[in-house]
Amino acid sequence: MVTTPRKKLAVLISGRGSNMEAILASTRNKDFPAKIAIVISDNADAKGLETAIKAGIEARKFERKDYSDKANHEAAIMKAIDQSGADIICLAGYMRILSADFTKAYEGRLINIHPSLLPKFKGLDTHQRAIDAGETEHGCTVHFVNPEMDGGEIIAQAKVPVLADDTADTLSARVLIEEHKLYSSVIADLAKA
Ligand code: GRF
C-alpha cells in the first residue's frame, strides 16, 4: 500500500490555543492528512504552548520584546517555520499583524481563522459588534492571509444563529464550536490538494 506523507503544519498562537488543540485532536486520527510540526507563540504565557509541550510537539516562543524590530522578530519566526518543514502555516488566535514580506513568503499556504462571517466584522470584538448590529446570523471564516488584516481570499465559513438573549460570551462559545470543526476541515482539504 502506498501511503502519502502527512503534510506538516506550523500553528501560530498568542493565547488560549483552543483551535490549536482542536487541530491536534484531529491529527490524532490516523486518516487525517496533516500533523503539527511546530507550535509558535509570541507570548511566553500562552496556555496553548503548555498544551503543545504536554503533547510532545515542538513549541517555541518568540516574544516581540526580545527583538530590536518587527522585521527581526518575523525573521526569527520564519526561520523556525522553515526549519520545521511546514507546508501549511495556520494562524490560530495569533494576535500580531504580519508584514507583507511575511505574508508573501507563504502566499497560498498561510491561513487564519477569524470569528465572524467576513467581510463583516474584521478586527477585534466581533461577537459584541455582531449583536450590536442586530445580526441574526454570525459565524467564523477561514481565509488565506494577505497584507490586509482579515482581508485575504475566503476559503470556508460556518454560520450560527444569533439568539435574542445572546451576550458576547454565549455567542462566542457557539461560534467557537464551529471554529474547531471548520479549521480542521479546511486544513484537511488543503493538505489533500
Ligand atoms: C478564536 O476565536 C479565533 O477565531 C480568533 O482568536 C480566537 C483564538 O482562540 N482569531 P484560541 O486561542 O484558538 O482558543
Side-chain angles (χ1 to χ4, degrees):
M1 190 176 79
V2 181
T3 51
T4 322
R6 299 166 106 195
K7 293 279 167 55
K8 292 183 181 174
L9 309 174
V11 184
L12 273 61
I13 62 169
S14 294
R16 181 176 56 180
S18 72
N19 276 287
M20 185 272 294
E21 263 186 81
I23 296 166
L24 183 60
S26 297
T27 65
R28 292 200 169 113
N29 176 342
K30 67 176 175 39
D31 295 326
F32 195 77
K35 61 181 178 187
I36 300 181
I38 188 168
V39 171
I40 288 173
S41 175
D42 65 329
N43 169 16
D45 300 325
K47 180 174 170 279
L49 268 182
E50 272 175 53
T51 313
I53 290 165
K54 280 191 195 134
I57 289 167
E58 184 183 2
R60 295 185 59 188
K61 55 180 190 290
F62 295 90
E63 296 212 289
R64 172 67 182 83
K65 66 175 170 53
D66 296 331
Y67 297 86
S68 56
D69 57 22
K70 181 182 175 90
N72 280 316
H73 183 229
E74 286 192 345
I77 291 172
M78 289 169 78
K79 190 172 170 195
I81 291 173
D82 295 343
Q83 282 172 346
S84 77
D87 303 290
I88 303 170
I89 300 92
C90 309
L91 306 184
Y94 186 69
M95 297 306 287
R96 278 176 196 280
I97 310 262
L98 295 166
S99 71
D101 283 348
F102 190 107
T103 61
K104 285 210 181 86
Y106 301 110
E107 200 171 351
R109 54 197 190 99
L110 174 61
I111 59 177
N112 180 44
I113 187 150
H114 180 76
S116 79
L117 295 173
L118 289 172
K120 285 183 177 176
F121 310 117
K122 295 178 179 179
L124 298 175
D125 209 13
T126 57
H127 307 299
Q128 189 60 51
R129 286 161 61 208
I131 292 170
D132 293 346
E135 299 287 337
T136 54
E137 233 178 20
H138 185 49
C140 54
T141 302
V142 178
H143 62 94
F144 287 113
V145 179
N146 70 7
E148 188 200 332
M149 187 186 62
D150 302 325
E153 183 194 336
I154 292 171
I155 305 171
Q157 295 185 310
K159 292 180 182 173
V160 302
V162 180
L163 305 182
D165 59 352
D166 261 333
T167 63
D169 283 349
T170 58
L171 183 53
S172 151
R174 192 174 309 119
V175 171
L176 196 61
I177 291 169
E178 298 305 316
E179 290 189 38
H180 292 166
K181 293 187 270 188
L182 185 70
Y183 216 177
S184 285
S185 134
V186 168
I187 290 167
D189 286 346
L190 290 178
K192 280 188 263 187

